[in-house]
Amino acid sequence: MGAETALSRTCLYDLHVELGAKMVPFAGYEMPVQYPMGIMKEHLHTRTYAGLFDVSHMGQAMLAGKDAVRVLESLVPGDIEILKPSRMRYTMLTNDQGTIIDDLMVTKMDDGYLLVLNAGCKHTDMAHITKHLSGDATITLMEDRALLALQGPRAVDVLAQFIPGVGSMKFMTAQRVEVCGGDCYVSRSGYTGEDGFEISVPNSIAEAFAKRLLKSPETAPIGLGARDTLRLEAGLCLYGHDIDLDTSPIEAGLNWTISKRRRSAGGFPGFDRIGKELEHGPARKRVGILPDGRAPARDGTEIVATDGRVIGTITSGGFGPTLGGPIAMGYVEAEFTAQDTPLLLRVRGRDVAARVVALPFVEHHYFKA
């Protein structure tokens, strides 16, 4: 069996083909990397109007039972206990070495905790969580559901035509609604830096619902290419690039995801290392980097100090369409993290001047009521 035939497809595959998408392998799936509009225009359309993304390849799981919160807090550093109904939180599964197994969204719903897991990690995550279940707790991978992301400043106007009341939802909240006769979860969240929503729908209605959203002249289908440039401009981590099994949450600058209670009480894998890094700082840290000129610095590019010493590596890099120039994120030794620190990027055998800048590259526009 060839590699291509082993790839999975989301339930929106036929729609992607119908819309003229260029399909590529990604995380075990055939996914649209771009549509005829092209990555640049898709990116700018999302920043101006509304972009529709198929993120059904990601894992959706329900962790249920009266011991669910205890189980989850034994696996992540996030404060899950404090979550009120319909509230959500970004956190990560950590291991005993204090590095990141995966990052995930956790939403407290009336029937349990809805977890959204990265596509490439979801089966490993499920095995990991299942291994640590105890007491009254169960986890179910909801493979009968698709996940759509509608992002951009006009997303709220588009979605309100089908789900009344979404305009009053606060950032990082969720609710259960009926769409096209299906039981759905809608959250005001996303990974582009824009206001927007993620909508979990039964596979059976996903295509019909997507087509309804796309009937709006303000909505365009957006592929993985623009999704990546949007999240890079927003300074958000991509698992497998900016965070992984060699990265701690503190090195990644994700200190804000760990509450005072959890910093004090611990009780999650890797607390020994993470607690020390919270107190004393890590030896290296993720920073934003602005290269001079027009040449982008891609993943794996060496970061060099002005004295010629290699001090880090680019983990995400490319062209930022909103900014009109190259941008990058990477890890550097702690003494080089101050804003405006001059760096050199070793791009195709020559050193390109760059400097450390604050993240995000493009201001977030999350809805704050």
Side-chain angles (χ1 to χ4, degrees), residues 2-293:
E4 292 187 1
T5 56
L7 293 172
S8 299
R9 294 175 174 176
T10 74
C11 63
L12 293 176
Y13 174 86
D14 289 343
L15 179 60
H16 298 316
V17 173
E18 180 183 329
L19 293 171
K22 178 183 178 182
M23 306 299 288
V24 298
F26 180 80
Y29 284 79
E30 281 186 272
M31 296 296 292
V33 67
Q34 67 177 79
Y35 296 87
M37 184 189 292
I39 292 174
M40 181 77 76
K41 289 183 178 178
E42 289 174 24
H43 178 113
L44 296 174
H45 184 96
T46 304
R47 289 264 185 255
T48 308
Y49 303 104
L52 182 66
F53 305 75
D54 176 17
V55 286
S56 306
H57 57 311
M58 300 183 75
Q60 300 180 70
M62 186 65 73
L63 179 62
K66 66 180 182 181
D67 293 316
V69 65
R70 176 183 56 76
V71 168
L72 200 48
E73 285 215 342
S74 74
L75 299 174
V76 305
D79 196 337
I80 308 303
E81 185 181 291
I82 200 173
L83 268 185
K84 295 179 179 177
S86 302
R87 300 290 298 188
M88 56 196 305
R89 179 141 297 172
Y90 171 77
T91 188
M92 56 228 69
L93 295 164
T94 53
N95 58 22
D96 290 339
Q97 291 72 48
T99 61
I100 301 171
I101 297 172
D102 193 13
D103 61 337
L104 67 157
M105 298 296 297
V106 178
T107 306
K108 185 175 183 179
M109 304 303 295
D110 54 6
D111 48 353
Y113 291 89
L114 176 61
L115 313 181
V116 177
L117 313 164
N118 278 302
C121 304
K122 60 184 178 184
H123 296 298
T124 303
D125 292 348
M126 286 297 294
H128 177 72
I129 296 170
T130 300
K131 181 181 174 183
H132 290 86
L133 290 176
S134 63
D136 180 15
T138 61
I139 187 164
T140 306
L141 187 62
M142 301 187 296
E143 297 183 282
D144 59 344
R145 302 189 76 85
L147 189 63
L148 302 173
L150 186 66
Q151 300 283 296
R154 304 308 299 270
V156 62
D157 303 316
V158 174
L159 192 60
Q161 299 173 45
F162 307 99
I163 307 178
V166 293
S168 61
M169 289 178 67
K170 295 181 180 178
F171 180 55
M172 296 294 276
T173 65
Q175 58 180 279
R176 201 163 182 168
V177 297
E178 183 177 308
V179 176
C180 298
D183 181 28
C184 304
Y185 303 95
V186 57
S187 64
R188 197 158 199 168
S189 63
Y191 221 62
T192 61
E194 296 296 328
D195 182 26
F197 301 85
E198 292 194 348
I199 312 108
S200 169
V201 302
N203 288 337
S204 58
I205 66 165
E207 182 171 324
F209 184 51
K211 285 183 173 178
R212 288 190 183 188
L213 294 171
L214 289 169
K215 279 186 177 178
S216 166
E218 296 176 312
T219 307
I222 309 296
L224 292 174
R227 182 174 174 82
D228 192 52
T229 54
L230 288 159
R231 74 91 198 162
L232 175 56
E233 284 189 342
L236 302 172
C237 294
L238 177 64
Y239 193 83
H241 291 257
D242 310 294
I243 51 176
D244 56 24
L245 287 170
D246 293 323
T247 311
S248 80
I250 313 309
E251 289 177 323
L254 300 174
N255 311 35
W256 58 272
T257 66
I258 308 175
S259 70
K260 183 177 179 181
R261 177 179 72 84
R262 302 237 62 196
R263 294 180 185 210
S264 172
F268 54 86
F271 175 65
D272 286 348
R273 172 181 175 175
I274 292 170
K276 288 176 183 174
E277 289 187 348
L278 280 167
E279 184 176 356
H280 304 293
R284 61 170 193 154
K285 198 167 182 180
R286 179 174 63 98
V287 294
I289 297 171
L290 205 58
D292 285 353

